[in-house]
Structure formats: C-alpha cells, structure tokens
Amino acid sequence: ELNQKDLAMKTFSPRLRPLAVAILCSLIAPLVPALHAQTTATTDPVGFVTVALAANSDSYAFIPFKRTPAFAGAASGAINANVIPVTGTPFTANQFVYVQFTQPNRYYVFLNTGTKAGSYYTATGNTTNSVTIDPNGDDLSAAVLPGTTFQIIPYDTLGTIFPAGKGVDASAGNGVGVRQTEILIPDVTSPGVDLALPVSYYYNSNTTAPGAGWRKAGAGGTLADDDVLYPDQFFVVRNKAASAGNNLTFMGTVPMATLSTPVGTNAVSTSQDNAVALPIAANLTLSQSKLWESGAFLGSTGHGVGSRGDQILVFDNSILGRDKGSDFSYYYYTGSTSPGPGWRLAGASGVLANDDVVIKPGFGLVIRKKSTGPIVTSIWSVKPPYVP
C-alpha cells in the first residue's frame, strides 16, 4: 500500500522518511539529456548493477537508481498550504495524479536544497504551475522557499523493476503452494526487533482475468503492477525453487547529493529495528558511512551485549538461507581500551572494523536503535564518496 511507510513514520516518528538515494552501480555511463526545458543545466549520470538472486534462498535488494525525473527546477515562491509554485506553466493539470491503466505512475518530490534537502514527499496533485505534496506531518514552511530546487520523480513499482515478471520465477496461480518467487516487504509499522516480512507479492502468469501480472498475497484478484517500491527501503526476493536462480539488473539515473534518512526508537522499553536502504554508487565502509558522526547512532561503552548501544545488522546474500537472521552485527565502541574508539564486529571486539563494507549490492541493512524511553528520531546524513 502506498501509505504503509507513512503510517510507520507516524508510529515511530513525526517525519516522513527522507530519501536515502544514490546507487550501487558497476558502470557509470555518460550524462543524459534533460527531458524538460526547465530542468537543471546539469544532469545526473546513469548506470547499471546486477544482483544475483540465489535459488532456494532469500536475497536482499534495494533500488539503486531513481527513474528519470519528470521535472527538475526551483520553487518560484514559498510553499503555501502544501503547494509548491513554479515559474511558467510547465505542467499539464493533474499529470502527477495516478489513474490505473491510463496514468500508472505515482510521483514524489525530492528536495535537492534547503533545510530538508534529501527528503521526499508524495505528490498528490498539480496545476499547470504548481505541485501539491503530502508533508506527512512535516513543517516545510522554512524548508521550501523561493529558489529551493527540487525534482518530481516517478516511484518505482513492481512493474518497473520486474516488468512482465522479468528476473523472477512465475507462479501458475494464487495459492501459497504454487508461488515460485515472492517479493517480501519489511515491516515498518510494528514496534520491536526481528520483525517479520508481512507483505508478499508474486507474479501470476495466468492470463485469465484480470490477466498476467503481479498480485499481492490476500488480494489475488487484483493486479498490483503499480504498487510502489520505496526508494529508501530494501525488499527481499524469496526464490523457493532449487533451480539455478535468477539475476536482477537495475538501470537508471544516479542521484548526486548528500543523503539523509531518519532512524527511530520506539516509546517502550525495547529496541527498534529500522529497515533502511542507503544506496551509494560505490561500496561504503563503516567509517565512510558517517553514521556515528551524524549523531544518529548511540555508541557502546563496552563490548558485552548489555553495554551495547545501537547496532548495525547486515544481511549478506552470499550466505544462503530463508528466514535467516542477520549475518553480521556491528557497534561503535566509545571507550579507550586498545585499539581505542571505533567500529567493532560483534564477536571480534579486539579488532577495529572501520574499513568493513556495509553498503554494496547484495546486502540488506537494519539499524537497531536502543530504546531511550520516549520516541526519538535521528537523521543519518552522509555524502557519497564520489560526490565532490
């Protein structure tokens, strides 16, 4: 559902999750031309990356590219009643409003500059010279001012990432027993840790009404090709067959910006898991992540489980399995015991892990925030290493 994440952030935080965006790519191609006369003078590079989806295993993936923006420009005035004005008449009225079959895209506004740079908000409508967004409780009065630059970008969907079921094994029906590959979405609404993957999609190849296409478990009579895959959240591809597996190739535009995403605690005395995706167009180490420096990560005063603060849980696709726990756990040690402060891998407390890679293709990432009592949302901001 489009509002699933919105509900999650209202549960754990008053903010909409900002876009953690840029990409894990193996090739950066030449610059592409702008699509609209009012786009910015420079455009982002494009590239591709392939992720192996192992047979009879869960594979973690996130969308490493944004789709080509439908508009890139600047606000001509301050936001007013959630409406961002622009110069001229660059839009067709309601062109960003979803209509099944005739207008299959849903759009978000990504803020490039201003006090909330790196955040994104769903577009809910537009006139010929303005776009209306859902702020989801955010106060944007000081964030969107004259000259604030932004892009309007179509969300990726099951149909754009897996067109006609490409990259997955098709299912011959809706029953659980005949589903060959499922796309599982993390739980972003429940408090606690080790959360389930409650939302499941599968590609039904049966051509009887409503026809071949993606279906959501529990709603097999409705096509779900247009259901959104959020740009800052990983998903899990569960291949049930013991065959050779598949490859998933992403292609698109690499955003070139400082990235921000919130991580939150919950209001009870338990820790909170945050399923995040921070795609970067290069492998990212713990020291490069700036997670500790951003203030979004609670350090650990000791190495024992009881004295640890926040943790990073990493899921590695090269380690096969279904419904498995995390493969690696990291924490940031703030003490002075040799070799001094820095990142540590659980089980290897005497060795610095600052250079360990935590962002790359085939990794899933969960930040487990230790409870601090009341709800607290911290912002993780990092500049990709390839951005000047």
Side-chain angles (χ1 to χ4, degrees), residues 2-61:
L2 183 63
N3 292 327
Q4 182 189 24
K5 175 177 285 187
D6 297 347
L7 293 173
M9 297 315 295
K10 287 179 179 177
T11 301
F12 300 127
S13 158
R15 289 176 47 81
L16 178 69
R17 177 178 297 238
L19 180 61
V21 64
I23 215 56
L24 294 158
C25 62
S26 56
L27 175 67
I28 302 297
L31 298 181
V32 295
L35 288 185
H36 197 281
Q38 291 201 9
T39 55
T40 52
T42 59
T43 54
D44 296 332
V46 297
F48 73 88
V49 61
T50 298
V51 176
L53 306 175
N56 197 26
S57 186
D58 287 350
S59 296
Y60 286 73

Side-chain angles (χ1 to χ4, degrees), residues 109-177:
V109 170
F110 174 74
L111 301 181
N112 291 296
T113 60
T115 59
K116 295 189 182 296
S119 300
Y120 74 91
Y121 305 89
T122 297
T124 59
N126 69 278
T127 66
T128 59
N129 61 359
S130 69
V131 58
T132 303
I133 63 174
D134 176 8
N136 196 38
D138 237 348
D139 181 4
L140 300 178
S141 58
V144 182
L145 301 172
T148 299
T149 60
F150 66 94
Q151 295 175 320
I152 303 176
I153 306 170
Y155 280 110
D156 268 298
T157 66
L158 290 162
T160 62
I161 297 299
F162 304 95
K166 183 178 180 180
V168 303
D169 294 324
S171 304
N174 295 328
V176 175

Side-chain angles (χ1 to χ4, degrees), residues 23 41 44 53 73 75 92 137 206 300 344:
I23 215 56
D44 296 332
L53 306 175
T92 300
N206 195 320
S300 301
R344 300 288 200 278

Side-chain angles (χ1 to χ4, degrees), residues 55 151 191 297 321 367:
Q151 295 175 320
F297 197 84
I367 297 178

Side-chain angles (χ1 to χ4, degrees), residues 118-277:
S119 300
Y120 74 91
Y121 305 89
T122 297
T124 59
N126 69 278
T127 66
T128 59
N129 61 359
S130 69
V131 58
T132 303
I133 63 174
D134 176 8
N136 196 38
D138 237 348
D139 181 4
L140 300 178
S141 58
V144 182
L145 301 172
T148 299
T149 60
F150 66 94
Q151 295 175 320
I152 303 176
I153 306 170
Y155 280 110
D156 268 298
T157 66
L158 290 162
T160 62
I161 297 299
F162 304 95
K166 183 178 180 180
V168 303
D169 294 324
S171 304
N174 295 328
V176 175
V178 299
R179 296 176 197 165
Q180 299 300 302
T181 300
E182 292 182 273
I183 308 300
L184 306 175
I185 309 299
D187 186 347
V188 294
T189 63
S190 299
V193 300
D194 296 324
L195 301 175
L197 300 165
V199 180
S200 172
Y201 294 94
Y202 55 95
Y203 187 83
N204 188 337
S205 59
N206 195 320
T207 57
T208 58
W214 285 97
R215 313 291 176 89
K216 184 178 180 180
T222 304
L223 289 175
D225 293 62
D226 299 339
D227 280 20
V228 166
L229 295 173
Y230 286 96
D232 59 345
Q233 180 179 296
F234 66 75
F235 55 88
V236 177
V237 182
R238 174 166 293 171
N239 279 331
K240 296 182 178 181
S243 58
N246 299 297
N247 288 321
L248 173 59
T249 298
F250 296 100
M251 299 184 68
T253 303
V254 181
M256 305 288 289
T258 295
L259 315 174
S260 298
T261 193
V263 287
T265 65
N266 69 55
V268 294
S269 59
T270 59
S271 296
Q272 180 62 45
D273 281 356
N274 295 261
V276 298

